[in-house]
Amino acid sequence: MESELRGFNTKPSKTPQPDPTHDDASSRDDRPLLTSASNVLELEKKCAAYVRNDVYGAMGRGELLLMEKLQLGIAFVTLLPLRTILVMTVLVVYYLICRICTLFSVPNHGEGQEDYAHLGGWRRTVILRSGRFLSKTLLFLVGFYRINETHNGSKNSQENSKTAGTLQPDEPEQRPGAIRSVANIPLVGLISKCLGCVYVQRESKSSDFKGVSGVVTDRVRKAHQDEYAPKILLFPEGTTTNGDYLISFKTGAFLARAPVVPVILKYPYQRFSPAWESVTGMRHVVFLLCQFVNHMEVKWLPVYYPSQLEKDDPKLYANNVRRLMASEGNLILSDIGLAEKRIYLATLNETNQRDGFTFLIEPKMTPFAVIL
């Protein structure tokens, strides 16, 4: 989250020339689209997808009621240390498993990426099976005791799919190349390399860099054509929202022209919202671990098969999938993107600095996709 403010300048600047090697949506997100806002309230109306609506308020610094403070205080000295120890234990165990499985193995290198997604045989089986089990264990430890999962084959979904050019009964079944979602929980370090994460370096504009869309396209095609190749999990918005909106999709994942499986993640809440939009990373983790119960809903939609028209136009393909997901998930469509989020976070930062707070910025590479 903090990395999304890096390089953002509230002063007017020259508009960069378009680079044909980069995705149009990514290029658009690098320049500010909202040039001014008289106050935070006005900006919140324009950037509603990033406004925090839980009891903790913007940036998690809202004024809490006495009872809320007491609950938070008790959880801070009981749940937080216990869960932290347990979570770290799970991560260390999985790290050791990944370390053992990658012994004497050389990672893939190319286009600024490094991973072990090419591993096969018992190594990949151990990494994936232990990863699935430990991931569920970790979610349970942080309060996601029960995850509601549904596979939607509703009439509304089927009608939308048919009009958009998805699988017809007389078409041969194809293997989907990508699984798409609106929520993001990345892993780091060796674990992410073993899972085959694709990292986005937002500030990289070198002409010889293939770009994340090119890397993703190659991997999606491999997953679509080779049944033994790892699938890829993508977060098409390229950033996070408050969970009530669906913002513009990046087109990189749709360039491969492969079928996708749309997946919608929702986090119902009463006190603290697990959605990550304006809260700093550390504060978000603390509040999440201090909440006794967290809720998650996973909604799987039918495989989406692009029509020839959509294959020829990745933007149309992305927009049709986005509209389908918004309809099935009761989400509000919004055409804002990362540029507006940067302005909103910068405004909140300035406001909180005047009030004595500082919004730390840590420049990091952000994981964009995870190979399954």
Side-chain angles (χ1 to χ4, degrees), residues 40 44 56-62 278-280 283 344-360:
V40 176
E44 285 182 345
Y56 291 87
M59 298 181 71
R61 298 184 183 276
S278 65
V279 182
T280 59
R283 183 175 290 267
Y344 178 60
L345 295 182
T347 303
L348 291 180
N349 183 45
E350 293 175 1
T351 302
N352 281 279
Q353 283 181 341
R354 289 196 299 267
D355 294 338
F357 299 113
T358 301
F359 189 55
L360 299 178

Side-chain angles (χ1 to χ4, degrees), residues 195-230:
L195 294 177
C197 287
V198 177
Y199 289 92
V200 177
Q201 197 166 9
R202 300 183 193 276
E203 289 75 28
S204 178
K205 298 296 181 183
S206 59
S207 59
D208 60 344
F209 186 70
K210 186 176 183 180
V212 66
S213 61
V215 177
V216 169
T217 299
D218 289 344
R219 292 199 181 182
V220 171
R221 284 174 177 167
K222 290 179 181 178
H224 174 56
Q225 297 170 358
D226 183 0
E227 62 176 322
Y228 297 105

Side-chain angles (χ1 to χ4, degrees), residues 61-118:
R61 298 184 183 276
E63 184 64 29
L64 300 178
L65 298 176
L66 177 59
M67 184 58 67
E68 189 64 35
K69 292 180 179 179
L70 290 175
Q71 292 179 2
L72 184 60
I74 294 174
F76 189 82
V77 298
T78 56
L79 275 181
L80 180 61
L82 176 62
R83 283 178 168 174
T84 300
I85 294 174
L86 294 175
V87 168
M88 291 304 300
T89 301
V90 171
L91 291 177
V92 170
V93 169
Y94 194 35
Y95 173 85
L96 293 176
I97 292 175
C98 292
R99 176 59 64 187
I100 294 174
C101 290
T102 55
L103 286 176
F104 311 112
S105 297
V106 179
N108 283 327
H109 292 277
E111 303 299 340
Q113 309 292 329
E114 178 181 288
D115 63 71
Y116 292 93
H118 65 289

Side-chain angles (χ1 to χ4, degrees), residues 91 94 131 135 138 184-189 191-193 195 197 199 367 370:
L91 291 177
Y94 194 35
S135 295
L138 190 146
N184 186 7
I185 310 178
L187 299 177
V188 294
I191 295 176
S192 65
K193 293 178 183 179
L195 294 177
C197 287
Y199 289 92
V370 181

